[in-house]
Amino acid sequence: MSGPKWLNDAVFYEIYPQSFQDTNGDGIGDFEGIIERLDYIKNLGCNALWINPCYDSPFKDAGYDVRDYKSVAPRYGTNEDLYRLFDEAHRRSMHVFLDLVPGHTSEEHAWFRESGRAGHNEYSGRYIWSDLWIAGMQGHPYIAGECERNGTYMLNFFKCQPALNYGFGTVTAPWQDGLDDPEPHRTREAMKDVMRFWLSHGCDGFRVDMADSLVKDDDDSKSGTAEVWRDLRRVIDEEYPEAALVSEWSNPKQAVLGAHFNMDFYLDHPGKAYNTLVRDNETEGPDRSFFRKDAGGDIERFLPQFLSDYEAVKGHGHIAFITCNHDTPRMSRTLTERERKLAYAFLFTLPGVPFLYYGDEIGIPYFEDLPTKEGGYTRTGTRTPMQWNHERNLGFSTADAAKLYLPVDPSEDAATVEDAEADPDSLYHTVQDILQLRHAQDDLKADGEFAVVYAKKESCPFLYRRGSLLLGVNPSGSAVTVPWEELSQVPDQLAGRKSAEPLFCVGGGSAEAEGITLEAQSFMIVR
Ligand code: GLC
Ligand code: CA
């Protein structure tokens, strides 16, 4: 199930369409803007896109409240514009994922309006309803008092997002359906129809929102939800085998091995592997992200979970690493530019498929305390406009500043693409260089092997191997040398020579007779 061949060399760029590029001066990004920037994205080294939901919506959760699955939101353009975006991407050998939101719709979706009516109709069983207006829902969040129907309906997330009915893992009340009852099967067919619609128009797959949430009262391994996905993805396997799916699940064993996703995101859950690397700021005590210079970060907090997941899903699918996404603070909130250079070089040289969040390549800040926009709350600070140049609104839009979706960075020295391209030491160039190398070296691609060469608890550096390449990272503030005898799994050609010129370096390092040396805050690749 590791998917179509193109995934092996895929590097995704996530676009929050509201904030990427406005071309008609209304202050909000649009499809035309994405089309105009495809060459920029390709030149950076990303060859695939994930676009957050761009469907018709009342935007109470930034579009994750879908009102019509098959029509785009007019503010972004027309369906034809989106089809043209697919074509333009394909002409550049790029792929495009849309965001599939299968667990809930907007309360304004026509299915839900019908579902809330008193008499029985085609949509009565499309959502999860209890059978009495005054009944609770066994601990699940629900709403009463809004519809004609004598019952309460379950929520999947915000109040505006009623849960679609895929059934219950364990049925304990008469109003609940089992997985294989007719209504949950009709919901599946409706979602397949949505998938087919976009795939038939040129979409290359989906990022799947809350993919683990479909079946309610599922068992601990989410086997019911996994069964639903094995069925839904038949659309891909049987009709669009070049397409792929990535899940918002953050449990690669369940998502890839159980539910047959091609990839699963590692998300920043407190205490989990990914968080310990880059955003260890929500747990108790000080931030000990591995890449922070003075935090005493520990690769051993990352490795056990990563190795276990990696070994389990190898050959079946991929772990997808993100620099950030639209739900979480940008790394720039807590990591310096140098620390991010190391973090990106590391994430982009792990096995699996990396995702870069728009603007992270130039170090757009996380804006604290922005008033919430479209249900963003603290996520709003991560969703501000892309910063292109020093023209009006940093090149994002020609609208009056007051009309912008969100304000652009007001600082004098706001980072821009234009400045980053001109500065050979910029973060942008580190990203571009490492991605170029990744595309050029088969060993660095998604399927390439990974092995630990040197890892010590609470100490630096960390050394690892990808095929014939030896890679090292030293986030600490002092230079370190590791003698060859202390390394395991050294690529053969290097073990023989015991010296090499770096293929890629941030901050300086060398491979010489006495060992591998990594300067303070450095990253190096040798062969
Ligand atoms: C996912 C999305 C998030 C959204 C939620 C509800 O977590 O990434 O942005 O608010 O699901 O759809
Ligand atoms: Ca616009």
Side-chain angles (χ1 to χ4, degrees):
M1 214 44 61
S2 72
K5 236 171 138 188
W6 64 266
L7 272 191
N8 192 32
D9 190 33
V11 178
F12 279 80
Y13 191 84
E14 179 189 346
I15 294 179
Y16 186 75
Q18 287 91 320
S19 294
F20 195 56
Q21 178 74 71
D22 173 27
T23 57
N24 64 352
D26 65 354
I28 191 150
D30 41 53
F31 295 132
E32 186 57 38
I34 299 176
I35 293 172
E36 285 182 11
R37 295 297 185 179
L38 285 174
D39 288 328
Y40 164 77
I41 297 166
K42 184 81 198 278
N43 187 45
L44 175 65
C46 296
N47 54 17
L49 306 181
W50 154 28
I51 304 174
N52 290 114
C54 51
Y55 318 105
D56 178 45
S57 167
F59 291 104
K60 291 184 181 174
D61 185 13
Y64 283 95
D65 46 333
V66 179
R67 185 162 51 198
D68 179 350
Y69 282 108
K70 295 185 183 176
S71 301
V72 301
R75 69 190 200 180
Y76 300 130
T78 62
N79 275 29
E80 280 63 36
D81 293 329
L82 180 54
Y83 306 155
R84 195 156 48 82
L85 194 168
F86 296 149
D87 285 346
E88 290 289 338
H90 296 159
R91 288 205 308 131
R92 293 165 174 83
S93 304
M94 298 169 81
H95 292 86
V96 184
F97 274 18
L98 295 182
D99 209 312
L100 184 71
V101 188
H104 49 265
T105 65
S106 157
E107 62 200 345
E108 294 184 21
H109 195 293
W111 296 347
F112 184 70
R113 291 177 183 243
E114 288 304 306
S115 200
R117 295 199 196 286
H120 184 85
N121 64 46
E122 194 186 336
Y123 300 98
S124 300
R126 182 61 52 89
Y127 298 81
I128 304 179
W129 290 88
S130 72
D131 52 7
L132 184 64
W133 66 276
I134 196 94
M137 279 189 129
Q138 303 187 336
H140 293 281
Y142 69 93
I143 295 287
E146 296 251 316
C147 302
E148 290 174 358
R149 182 172 170 161
N150 177 25
T152 56
Y153 60 92
M154 194 183 289
L155 300 177
N156 217 33
F157 197 63
F158 285 168
K159 181 259 166 190
C160 61
Q161 290 159 325
L164 285 160
N165 180 17
Y166 292 88
F168 284 72
T170 313
V171 174
T172 54
W175 50 269
Q176 299 175 348
D177 285 320
L179 241 60
D180 282 314
D181 283 333
E183 292 295 356
H185 271 263
R186 272 182 217 129
T187 309
R188 290 190 202 178
E189 292 313 310
M191 207 45 63
K192 288 182 188 170
D193 180 55
V194 171
M195 292 165 73
R196 280 192 189 101
F197 178 81
W198 292 108
L199 292 167
S200 73
H201 283 104
C203 165
D204 298 294
F206 303 95
R207 174 270 186 182
V208 178
D209 185 66
M210 291 176 67
D212 64 335
S213 76
L214 302 192
V215 171
K216 307 308 178 195
D217 296 344
D218 206 353
D219 56 28
D220 287 347
S221 63
K222 306 227 165 155
S223 65
T225 296
E227 187 182 323
V228 172
W229 280 112
R230 292 196 300 272
D231 181 31
L232 293 179
R233 78 158 294 130
R234 283 169 45 204
V235 171
I236 307 257
D237 297 337
E238 292 167 15
E239 300 163 44
Y240 297 93
E242 281 302 298
L245 297 175
V246 58
S247 49
E248 185 193 28
W249 194 311
S250 210
N251 186 327
K253 287 174 190 152
Q254 291 182 355
V256 172
L257 301 180
H260 292 187
F261 276 90
N262 303 99
M263 319 170 249
D264 181 38
F265 287 120
Y266 253 10
L267 299 174
D268 62 332
H269 299 164
K272 290 293 199 65
Y274 178 73
N275 209 60
T276 66
L277 275 184
V278 292
R279 261 192 293 263
D280 208 0
N281 47 17
E282 277 139 350
T283 42
E284 304 254 311
D287 181 350
R288 295 189 60 211
S289 308
F290 177 66
F291 293 104
R292 288 190 56 157
K293 176 177 157 203
D294 299 319
D298 185 0
I299 197 68
E300 287 294 342
R301 297 187 64 216
F302 169 73
L303 281 179
Q305 190 198 337
F306 170 67
L307 287 172
S308 160
D309 287 334
Y310 165 70
E311 293 297 340
V313 305
K314 196 161 74 177
H316 304 277
H318 303 292
I319 298 171
F321 281 93
I322 59 170
T323 60
C324 183
N325 69 20
H326 61 289
D327 289 331
T328 189
R330 291 188 188 264
M331 274 190 216
S332 51
R333 183 194 204 183
T334 48
L335 301 188
T336 64
E337 181 175 286
R338 179 66 165 267
E339 289 164 349
R340 273 172 284 141
K341 284 183 178 178
L342 307 186
Y344 295 171
F346 184 70
L347 295 181
F348 295 155
T349 55
L350 287 177
V353 179
F355 282 66
L356 175 75
Y357 186 58
Y358 82 97
D360 278 350
E361 71 275 28
I362 55 165
I364 290 190
Y366 171 74
F367 295 92
E368 309 277 347
D369 305 324
L370 273 185
T372 180
K373 176 82 176 182
E374 295 186 347
Y377 299 96
T378 56
R379 307 176 293 183
T380 306
T382 285
R383 300 176 173 184
T384 58
M386 182 63 177
Q387 304 172 185
W388 297 102
N389 53 46
H390 290 286
E391 287 159 32
R392 193 184 173 101
N393 301 318
L394 302 180
F396 162 63
S397 168
T398 56
D400 283 351
K403 275 184 66 190
L404 299 184
Y405 176 77
L406 282 170
V408 297
D409 186 347
S411 49
E412 281 281 288
D413 58 348
T416 65
V417 166
E418 190 177 42
D419 295 345
E421 284 177 337
D423 172 6
D425 288 330
S426 65
L427 179 63
Y428 168 91
H429 282 291
T430 301
V431 170
Q432 193 183 42
D433 290 349
I434 196 78
L435 292 180
Q436 213 167 57
L437 193 66
R438 183 179 166 108
H439 293 304
Q441 301 280 339
D442 280 343
D443 286 339
L444 290 180
K445 293 185 183 169
D447 284 332
E449 280 171 40
F450 173 91
V452 173
V453 170
Y454 180 87
K456 282 247 153 55
K457 197 167 170 49
E458 290 178 359
S459 107
C460 284
F462 172 56
L463 302 175
Y464 55 109
R465 182 165 78 97
R466 303 287 321 273
S468 62
L469 305 175
L470 178 67
L471 301 89
V473 58
N474 173 23
S476 81
S478 8
V480 279
T481 299
V482 187
W484 292 95
E485 311 80 76
E486 292 185 30
L487 311 181
S488 59
Q489 308 257 9
V490 177
D492 289 346
Q493 85 285 355
L494 260 177
R497 264 192 277 120
K498 293 206 163 56
S499 76
E501 280 298 309
L503 270 184
F504 174 89
C505 211
V506 176
S510 63
E512 284 160 359
E514 64 270 27
I516 303 285
T517 298
L518 282 152
E519 300 300 333
Q521 293 194 287
S522 67
F523 179 94
M524 175 175 76
I525 305 180
V526 293
R527 179 170 42 210

